[in-house]
Amino acid sequence: MSYITELKEKNLKMNRKIMLDSLPGFLGKNYLVVTLVILIIAGMVLSNKFFMARNILNILLQNSMMTIISMGMLFAIITGGIDLSVGSVVALSGCLVAGFIQGGANTLPAISLVLLIMALVGMTSGILVSYGRIAPFIVTLAMMTIVRGLAYIYQIGADRRIDGTALTETINSNIGIIPVPIIIMAIVVIVIGFILEKTTFGRGVYAIGGNSETARLAGINVNLNVILVYTISSVLAAISGIILAGRLSMGTALVGQGFELDAIAAVVVGGASLSGGTGTAVNTLMGAFIIGILANIMNLMGVAAYPQMIIKGVIIVAAVLIKRGLGKNE
Amino acid sequence: MKKSTVLEMIGIKKEFPGVKALDQVDFSAQKAEIHALVGENGAGKSTLMKILSGVYSCSTYDGKLKLYGKEKKFYKPKDAEEAGIVIIHQELMLLDELSVAENIFLGHLNNKCGLVNWKTVYERAQNILKQLDVEIDVRMKVKNLGVGHKQLVEIAKALSLQSKILILDEPTAALTESEIVHLFGVLKELRKKEMTLIYISHRMAEVFKLADRISVLRDGRLIATENKHGLSHRKVVSMMVGREICTMYPVTRVKPGKELLKIEDYSLNGTEKTAQVIVKNANLSLKAGEIVGIFGLLGSGRTELVSSIFGAYRRKGIGKIYINSFPVNIKNPKQAIKYGLAFVTEDRKQNGLILNAGVAQNISLATLKTVSKKGILYRQAENKLADRQIKNLSIKTAGIGVDASKLSGGNQQKVVLGKWLSTKPDILILDEPTRGVDVGAKSEIYQIIRDLADSGVGIIMVSSDLPEIIGMSNRVYVMHQGKIVGEFDRADLTEELIMQYATGIYN
């Protein structure tokens, strides 16, 4: 009898030891997935509304715009830069697309023109960062206030409502049961993931963030790549802005305040380092949804807006600390 | 009289991913001895000392560490310090803006409830320095001291901790003759006080002047620990290297072919501020199958010359460059690569590698075109390329995904070489190809370079290592203050001759 219990105990101890040994390694690689699963389980326990199809679609829809912006921010951060202008670009592109449609433009040309203009905005930032050799933080900070100013000037005194137009109809419609913005988000994430993982351009972007001098000496056109990165970031923010205008049925310069910081938060929670060279589209997606699901759970539980801000801040710091702690065991 | 053993390190084994840094090293030191530890770069000296001083936690290596016969476990430098072991690094760890006394007692200031009793602090500092026979004002800021005095302050700091074992890493590197004499006096004095001193140095003369015993490390193994009197300079050097020097350099089997590269009247101006000419009217030629050495001291313009040929220098050069007799105008590295040039830079960490990227990604970086189609990468092709370079250059790594930062210096250098060899260059420029590389990898790299030349590649090798330049080159250009001041064939080369031109005696 005592022999058997001894054996059992020994067995138990060994099992525990194996678990403890391999657990940190497992967590180190999959901590984002684990965090998401924990959050989802917590949501199910805390609120019976959480796991209903409507709520899930709601989470996806609400975070689709932020995820798209984060994909652009990810590009900038991988190169070791940052793009603070994305929130303003959201506002201006919303105003412009609404304005163009009010002016009688068809939906597609209006959207194309807005994307083109915002591509030029991003390109300007990129040129200033690469050829102008000004820190990305400064360039995009300046661009943030310039673009925001333009948005206000364009919007002022004008009513940019676009109720009932093709754009609002499309953005607010579903394909099957899935709202259009979610589908756009999915396409963006797949395309960006593909560009980063599978193309020479993506490889160049990582190389620049890892060591731009090494990249230059290896024949990579660093300046061109940097310009493209800020162009992409701006275009993605513009896509978000257009979606937002569609959802609000109006263009307004008041939206997008602080979006740049939320996007940075998503990228950082997704494990990218601000010093560049790391980060993936899938991890950034998970980063955005960790923040999004947490907000959703708190909303369902009736947590007020201000405490939510505090918790979000704590989560950002915790994410970085957890990543660092687990990274050691890899 | 048999001295008592203070320190024993038994069966020390330390691995970095893919590399054995230390392999079954047994090292011991006695009371009241100066024990010299010698070995080439990368032999494992600093790794061994980092283990001894607790920089590497005892959980990261195998083997035992005994002090006075008792096994000790150091998890952090503080543990070693408390056990009486202090290391004085080559780069001194003093705080320039604090006073001498503050530096000596940093972290151990005499205080009552957080209030420092400055009078006793200064007195005690003064006393310790007196033991070292140094007369400096302990209230003075450290930044006002010379290197020699700074070193003594470090030693004073160690004494204030009552340390019994003192490790000195290349302490004389930056000292003047008289400072060295004083330091040696101090060290001998400390030996009389029954301290154990472990002295790491490259300088044979000093080692023999000072040490009681000498231990030689090579490629992570302890080759010998012997009494000084049983050894000669030559014997120690041959133990360090492990082979006769002359066999390190492979002999050419091939006659140089047609001219690949020619540079005529090439100049490089400095910035407006300095208005100094960096390279002046350089003429240079390179044939297929040839290794051309460029020797120059610091500031001679050797690196600037080759990096501007590659289009990598900040400013454009003036003059003519011909590749295969065609005049070319290379504006950036991308074009240089197209013309068949490759450039292994001087500082692999600064601009040779992406440290946080994998080996495969580093190797494919300059040839992304060959592992992709229309901008889409083919991972299989990339991995194959990496595998091939790892095999051909015998790069020691745990896998193609291992970060470049985790490799040893020699293997990192091989990764950089692999990156450039993947571009299949006609002209390979090497800037200090074996700096910070251990002896074994060095001779491998020499063989690789020679094989490349024999296969018809033209090689320009910039180096400040005289034996290397002489051993490897078919021809050597010597630079001094931006000018090529001499050109010599292999047969005429001597170290003295090159040095005379490089220092401007025949300018």
Side-chain angles (χ1 to χ4, degrees), chain B residues 24-40:
Chain B
Q24 296 294 343
V25 170
D26 296 328
F27 178 80
S28 68
Q30 296 165 341
K31 202 179 215 178
E33 81 161 341
I34 298 178
H35 194 132
L37 187 58
V38 299
E40 286 278 291

mmCIF file with all atom_site columns, all heavy atoms in Angstrom, chain B residues 24-40:
data_model
loop_
_atom_site.group_PDB
_atom_site.id
_atom_site.type_symbol
_atom_site.label_atom_id
_atom_site.label_alt_id
_atom_site.label_comp_id
_atom_site.label_asym_id
_atom_site.label_entity_id
_atom_site.label_seq_id
_atom_site.pdbx_PDB_ins_code
_atom_site.Cartn_x
_atom_site.Cartn_y
_atom_site.Cartn_z
_atom_site.occupancy
_atom_site.B_iso_or_equiv
_atom_site.pdbx_formal_charge
_atom_site.auth_seq_id
_atom_site.auth_comp_id
_atom_site.auth_asym_id
_atom_site.auth_atom_id
_atom_site.pdbx_PDB_model_num
ATOM 1   N N   . GLN B 1 24 ? 36.065 20.861 -21.019 1.00 0.00 ? 24 GLN B N   1
ATOM 2   C CA  . GLN B 1 24 ? 36.786 20.135 -19.961 1.00 0.00 ? 24 GLN B CA  1
ATOM 3   C C   . GLN B 1 24 ? 38.026 20.875 -19.466 1.00 0.00 ? 24 GLN B C   1
ATOM 4   O O   . GLN B 1 24 ? 39.120 20.330 -19.431 1.00 0.00 ? 24 GLN B O   1
ATOM 5   C CB  . GLN B 1 24 ? 37.201 18.748 -20.464 1.00 0.00 ? 24 GLN B CB  1
ATOM 6   C CG  . GLN B 1 24 ? 36.046 17.835 -20.784 1.00 0.00 ? 24 GLN B CG  1
ATOM 7   C CD  . GLN B 1 24 ? 35.234 17.450 -19.570 1.00 0.00 ? 24 GLN B CD  1
ATOM 8   O OE1 . GLN B 1 24 ? 35.697 17.607 -18.432 1.00 0.00 ? 24 GLN B OE1 1
ATOM 9   N NE2 . GLN B 1 24 ? 34.031 16.998 -19.764 1.00 0.00 ? 24 GLN B NE2 1
ATOM 10  N N   . VAL B 1 25 ? 37.847 22.124 -19.133 1.00 0.00 ? 25 VAL B N   1
ATOM 11  C CA  . VAL B 1 25 ? 38.997 22.906 -18.678 1.00 0.00 ? 25 VAL B CA  1
ATOM 12  C C   . VAL B 1 25 ? 39.190 22.722 -17.170 1.00 0.00 ? 25 VAL B C   1
ATOM 13  O O   . VAL B 1 25 ? 38.257 22.895 -16.387 1.00 0.00 ? 25 VAL B O   1
ATOM 14  C CB  . VAL B 1 25 ? 38.810 24.404 -19.012 1.00 0.00 ? 25 VAL B CB  1
ATOM 15  C CG1 . VAL B 1 25 ? 39.882 25.237 -18.325 1.00 0.00 ? 25 VAL B CG1 1
ATOM 16  C CG2 . VAL B 1 25 ? 38.843 24.615 -20.514 1.00 0.00 ? 25 VAL B CG2 1
ATOM 17  N N   . ASP B 1 26 ? 40.418 22.336 -16.784 1.00 0.00 ? 26 ASP B N   1
ATOM 18  C CA  . ASP B 1 26 ? 40.801 22.295 -15.369 1.00 0.00 ? 26 ASP B CA  1
ATOM 19  C C   . ASP B 1 26 ? 41.785 23.427 -15.136 1.00 0.00 ? 26 ASP B C   1
ATOM 20  O O   . ASP B 1 26 ? 42.847 23.460 -15.738 1.00 0.00 ? 26 ASP B O   1
ATOM 21  C CB  . ASP B 1 26 ? 41.491 20.969 -15.027 1.00 0.00 ? 26 ASP B CB  1
ATOM 22  C CG  . ASP B 1 26 ? 40.544 19.791 -15.201 1.00 0.00 ? 26 ASP B CG  1
ATOM 23  O OD1 . ASP B 1 26 ? 39.341 19.975 -14.971 1.00 0.00 ? 26 ASP B OD1 1
ATOM 24  O OD2 . ASP B 1 26 ? 41.022 18.715 -15.591 1.00 0.00 ? 26 ASP B OD2 1
ATOM 25  N N   . PHE B 1 27 ? 41.422 24.320 -14.260 1.00 0.00 ? 27 PHE B N   1
ATOM 26  C CA  . PHE B 1 27 ? 42.288 25.459 -14.019 1.00 0.00 ? 27 PHE B CA  1
ATOM 27  C C   . PHE B 1 27 ? 42.408 25.646 -12.516 1.00 0.00 ? 27 PHE B C   1
ATOM 28  O O   . PHE B 1 27 ? 41.417 25.546 -11.789 1.00 0.00 ? 27 PHE B O   1
ATOM 29  C CB  . PHE B 1 27 ? 41.672 26.704 -14.662 1.00 0.00 ? 27 PHE B CB  1
ATOM 30  C CG  . PHE B 1 27 ? 42.460 27.965 -14.441 1.00 0.00 ? 27 PHE B CG  1
ATOM 31  C CD1 . PHE B 1 27 ? 43.575 28.243 -15.217 1.00 0.00 ? 27 PHE B CD1 1
ATOM 32  C CD2 . PHE B 1 27 ? 42.092 28.863 -13.453 1.00 0.00 ? 27 PHE B CD2 1
ATOM 33  C CE1 . PHE B 1 27 ? 44.305 29.406 -15.018 1.00 0.00 ? 27 PHE B CE1 1
ATOM 34  C CE2 . PHE B 1 27 ? 42.818 30.029 -13.246 1.00 0.00 ? 27 PHE B CE2 1
ATOM 35  C CZ  . PHE B 1 27 ? 43.924 30.293 -14.037 1.00 0.00 ? 27 PHE B CZ  1
ATOM 36  N N   . SER B 1 28 ? 43.625 25.873 -12.029 1.00 0.00 ? 28 SER B N   1
ATOM 37  C CA  . SER B 1 28 ? 43.754 26.132 -10.599 1.00 0.00 ? 28 SER B CA  1
ATOM 38  C C   . SER B 1 28 ? 44.755 27.248 -10.356 1.00 0.00 ? 28 SER B C   1
ATOM 39  O O   . SER B 1 28 ? 45.617 27.531 -11.191 1.00 0.00 ? 28 SER B O   1
ATOM 40  C CB  . SER B 1 28 ? 44.202 24.871 -9.877  1.00 0.00 ? 28 SER B CB  1
ATOM 41  O OG  . SER B 1 28 ? 45.515 24.562 -10.252 1.00 0.00 ? 28 SER B OG  1
ATOM 42  N N   . ALA B 1 29 ? 44.588 27.896 -9.222  1.00 0.00 ? 29 ALA B N   1
ATOM 43  C CA  . ALA B 1 29 ? 45.505 28.979 -8.868  1.00 0.00 ? 29 ALA B CA  1
ATOM 44  C C   . ALA B 1 29 ? 45.851 28.864 -7.398  1.00 0.00 ? 29 ALA B C   1
ATOM 45  O O   . ALA B 1 29 ? 45.047 28.391 -6.595  1.00 0.00 ? 29 ALA B O   1
ATOM 46  C CB  . ALA B 1 29 ? 44.866 30.321 -9.170  1.00 0.00 ? 29 ALA B CB  1
ATOM 47  N N   . GLN B 1 30 ? 47.082 29.283 -7.055  1.00 0.00 ? 30 GLN B N   1
ATOM 48  C CA  . GLN B 1 30 ? 47.554 29.113 -5.683  1.00 0.00 ? 30 GLN B CA  1
ATOM 49  C C   . GLN B 1 30 ? 47.604 30.436 -4.948  1.00 0.00 ? 30 GLN B C   1
ATOM 50  O O   . GLN B 1 30 ? 47.523 31.501 -5.540  1.00 0.00 ? 30 GLN B O   1
ATOM 51  C CB  . GLN B 1 30 ? 48.954 28.483 -5.711  1.00 0.00 ? 30 GLN B CB  1
ATOM 52  C CG  . GLN B 1 30 ? 48.943 27.097 -6.293  1.00 0.00 ? 30 GLN B CG  1
ATOM 53  C CD  . GLN B 1 30 ? 50.338 26.630 -6.643  1.00 0.00 ? 30 GLN B CD  1
ATOM 54  O OE1 . GLN B 1 30 ? 51.245 27.441 -6.779  1.00 0.00 ? 30 GLN B OE1 1
ATOM 55  N NE2 . GLN B 1 30 ? 50.492 25.329 -6.786  1.00 0.00 ? 30 GLN B NE2 1
ATOM 56  N N   . LYS B 1 31 ? 47.784 30.281 -3.648  1.00 0.00 ? 31 LYS B N   1
ATOM 57  C CA  . LYS B 1 31 ? 47.939 31.454 -2.811  1.00 0.00 ? 31 LYS B CA  1
ATOM 58  C C   . LYS B 1 31 ? 49.248 32.153 -3.171  1.00 0.00 ? 31 LYS B C   1
ATOM 59  O O   . LYS B 1 31 ? 50.247 31.496 -3.459  1.00 0.00 ? 31 LYS B O   1
ATOM 60  C CB  . LYS B 1 31 ? 47.999 30.990 -1.343  1.00 0.00 ? 31 LYS B CB  1
ATOM 61  C CG  . LYS B 1 31 ? 47.634 32.063 -0.358  1.00 0.00 ? 31 LYS B CG  1
ATOM 62  C CD  . LYS B 1 31 ? 47.706 31.482 1.049   1.00 0.00 ? 31 LYS B CD  1
ATOM 63  C CE  . LYS B 1 31 ? 46.641 32.090 1.933   1.00 0.00 ? 31 LYS B CE  1
ATOM 64  N NZ  . LYS B 1 31 ? 46.658 31.517 3.261   1.00 0.00 ? 31 LYS B NZ  1
ATOM 65  N N   . ALA B 1 32 ? 49.211 33.454 -3.159  1.00 0.00 ? 32 ALA B N   1
ATOM 66  C CA  . ALA B 1 32 ? 50.413 34.248 -3.387  1.00 0.00 ? 32 ALA B CA  1
ATOM 67  C C   . ALA B 1 32 ? 51.110 33.894 -4.685  1.00 0.00 ? 32 ALA B C   1
ATOM 68  O O   . ALA B 1 32 ? 52.306 33.670 -4.723  1.00 0.00 ? 32 ALA B O   1
ATOM 69  C CB  . ALA B 1 32 ? 51.383 34.094 -2.208  1.00 0.00 ? 32 ALA B CB  1
ATOM 70  N N   . GLU B 1 33 ? 50.328 33.823 -5.756  1.00 0.00 ? 33 GLU B N   1
ATOM 71  C CA  . GLU B 1 33 ? 50.979 33.650 -7.049  1.00 0.00 ? 33 GLU B CA  1
ATOM 72  C C   . GLU B 1 33 ? 50.361 34.594 -8.075  1.00 0.00 ? 33 GLU B C   1
ATOM 73  O O   . GLU B 1 33 ? 49.227 35.030 -7.940  1.00 0.00 ? 33 GLU B O   1
ATOM 74  C CB  . GLU B 1 33 ? 50.881 32.198 -7.551  1.00 0.00 ? 33 GLU B CB  1
ATOM 75  C CG  . GLU B 1 33 ? 49.560 31.840 -8.213  1.00 0.00 ? 33 GLU B CG  1
ATOM 76  C CD  . GLU B 1 33 ? 49.665 30.587 -9.089  1.00 0.00 ? 33 GLU B CD  1
ATOM 77  O OE1 . GLU B 1 33 ? 50.765 30.205 -9.476  1.00 0.00 ? 33 GLU B OE1 1
ATOM 78  O OE2 . GLU B 1 33 ? 48.600 30.012 -9.385  1.00 0.00 ? 33 GLU B OE2 1
ATOM 79  N N   . ILE B 1 34 ? 51.205 34.873 -9.086  1.00 0.00 ? 34 ILE B N   1
ATOM 80  C CA  . ILE B 1 34 ? 50.681 35.566 -10.254 1.00 0.00 ? 34 ILE B CA  1
ATOM 81  C C   . ILE B 1 34 ? 50.608 34.531 -11.361 1.00 0.00 ? 34 ILE B C   1
ATOM 82  O O   . ILE B 1 34 ? 51.620 33.948 -11.742 1.00 0.00 ? 34 ILE B O   1
ATOM 83  C CB  . ILE B 1 34 ? 51.566 36.753 -10.671 1.00 0.00 ? 34 ILE B CB  1
ATOM 84  C CG1 . ILE B 1 34 ? 51.618 37.782 -9.529  1.00 0.00 ? 34 ILE B CG1 1
ATOM 85  C CG2 . ILE B 1 34 ? 51.028 37.392 -11.938 1.00 0.00 ? 34 ILE B CG2 1
ATOM 86  C CD1 . ILE B 1 34 ? 52.492 38.979 -9.816  1.00 0.00 ? 34 ILE B CD1 1
ATOM 87  N N   . HIS B 1 35 ? 49.403 34.283 -11.795 1.00 0.00 ? 35 HIS B N   1
ATOM 88  C CA  . HIS B 1 35 ? 49.159 33.203 -12.744 1.00 0.00 ? 35 HIS B CA  1
ATOM 89  C C   . HIS B 1 35 ? 48.728 33.829 -14.074 1.00 0.00 ? 35 HIS B C   1
ATOM 90  O O   . HIS B 1 35 ? 47.678 34.442 -14.169 1.00 0.00 ? 35 HIS B O   1
ATOM 91  C CB  . HIS B 1 35 ? 48.050 32.299 -12.204 1.00 0.00 ? 35 HIS B CB  1
ATOM 92  C CG  . HIS B 1 35 ? 47.944 30.998 -12.924 1.00 0.00 ? 35 HIS B CG  1
ATOM 93  N ND1 . HIS B 1 35 ? 47.864 29.808 -12.273 1.00 0.00 ? 35 HIS B ND1 1
ATOM 94  C CD2 . HIS B 1 35 ? 47.912 30.703 -14.230 1.00 0.00 ? 35 HIS B CD2 1
ATOM 95  C CE1 . HIS B 1 35 ? 47.775 28.816 -13.148 1.00 0.00 ? 35 HIS B CE1 1
ATOM 96  N NE2 . HIS B 1 35 ? 47.814 29.359 -14.364 1.00 0.00 ? 35 HIS B NE2 1
ATOM 97  N N   . ALA B 1 36 ? 49.564 33.679 -15.094 1.00 0.00 ? 36 ALA B N   1
ATOM 98  C CA  . ALA B 1 36 ? 49.231 34.274 -16.382 1.00 0.00 ? 36 ALA B CA  1
ATOM 99  C C   . ALA B 1 36 ? 48.360 33.325 -17.192 1.00 0.00 ? 36 ALA B C   1
ATOM 100 O O   . ALA B 1 36 ? 48.579 32.116 -17.188 1.00 0.00 ? 36 ALA B O   1
ATOM 101 C CB  . ALA B 1 36 ? 50.491 34.605 -17.167 1.00 0.00 ? 36 ALA B CB  1
ATOM 102 N N   . LEU B 1 37 ? 47.354 33.897 -17.848 1.00 0.00 ? 37 LEU B N   1
ATOM 103 C CA  . LEU B 1 37 ? 46.467 33.115 -18.705 1.00 0.00 ? 37 LEU B CA  1
ATOM 104 C C   . LEU B 1 37 ? 46.612 33.677 -20.116 1.00 0.00 ? 37 LEU B C   1
ATOM 105 O O   . LEU B 1 37 ? 46.310 34.844 -20.359 1.00 0.00 ? 37 LEU B O   1
ATOM 106 C CB  . LEU B 1 37 ? 45.032 33.266 -18.210 1.00 0.00 ? 37 LEU B CB  1
ATOM 107 C CG  . LEU B 1 37 ? 43.963 32.407 -18.860 1.00 0.00 ? 37 LEU B CG  1
ATOM 108 C CD1 . LEU B 1 37 ? 44.280 30.938 -18.723 1.00 0.00 ? 37 LEU B CD1 1
ATOM 109 C CD2 . LEU B 1 37 ? 42.618 32.705 -18.227 1.00 0.00 ? 37 LEU B CD2 1
ATOM 110 N N   . VAL B 1 38 ? 47.146 32.839 -21.012 1.00 0.00 ? 38 VAL B N   1
ATOM 111 C CA  . VAL B 1 38 ? 47.368 33.334 -22.370 1.00 0.00 ? 38 VAL B CA  1
ATOM 112 C C   . VAL B 1 38 ? 46.612 32.481 -23.379 1.00 0.00 ? 38 VAL B C   1
ATOM 113 O O   . VAL B 1 38 ? 46.217 31.351 -23.099 1.00 0.00 ? 38 VAL B O   1
ATOM 114 C CB  . VAL B 1 38 ? 48.873 33.359 -22.740 1.00 0.00 ? 38 VAL B CB  1
ATOM 115 C CG1 . VAL B 1 38 ? 49.637 34.273 -21.807 1.00 0.00 ? 38 VAL B CG1 1
ATOM 116 C CG2 . VAL B 1 38 ? 49.453 31.955 -22.708 1.00 0.00 ? 38 VAL B CG2 1
ATOM 117 N N   . GLY B 1 39 ? 46.431 33.066 -24.558 1.00 0.00 ? 39 GLY B N   1
ATOM 118 C CA  . GLY B 1 39 ? 45.709 32.384 -25.622 1.00 0.00 ? 39 GLY B CA  1
ATOM 119 C C   . GLY B 1 39 ? 45.289 33.408 -26.657 1.00 0.00 ? 39 GLY B C   1
ATOM 120 O O   . GLY B 1 39 ? 45.178 34.590 -26.353 1.00 0.00 ? 39 GLY B O   1
ATOM 121 N N   . GLU B 1 40 ? 45.054 32.916 -27.869 1.00 0.00 ? 40 GLU B N   1
ATOM 122 C CA  . GLU B 1 40 ? 44.617 33.812 -28.939 1.00 0.00 ? 40 GLU B CA  1
ATOM 123 C C   . GLU B 1 40 ? 43.218 34.334 -28.646 1.00 0.00 ? 40 GLU B C   1
ATOM 124 O O   . GLU B 1 40 ? 42.521 33.823 -27.762 1.00 0.00 ? 40 GLU B O   1
ATOM 125 C CB  . GLU B 1 40 ? 44.601 33.044 -30.263 1.00 0.00 ? 40 GLU B CB  1
ATOM 126 C CG  . GLU B 1 40 ? 45.961 32.779 -30.840 1.00 0.00 ? 40 GLU B CG  1
ATOM 127 C CD  . GLU B 1 40 ? 46.489 33.982 -31.604 1.00 0.00 ? 40 GLU B CD  1
ATOM 128 O OE1 . GLU B 1 40 ? 45.948 34.288 -32.663 1.00 0.00 ? 40 GLU B OE1 1
ATOM 129 O OE2 . GLU B 1 40 ? 47.439 34.616 -31.125 1.00 0.00 ? 40 GLU B OE2 1
#
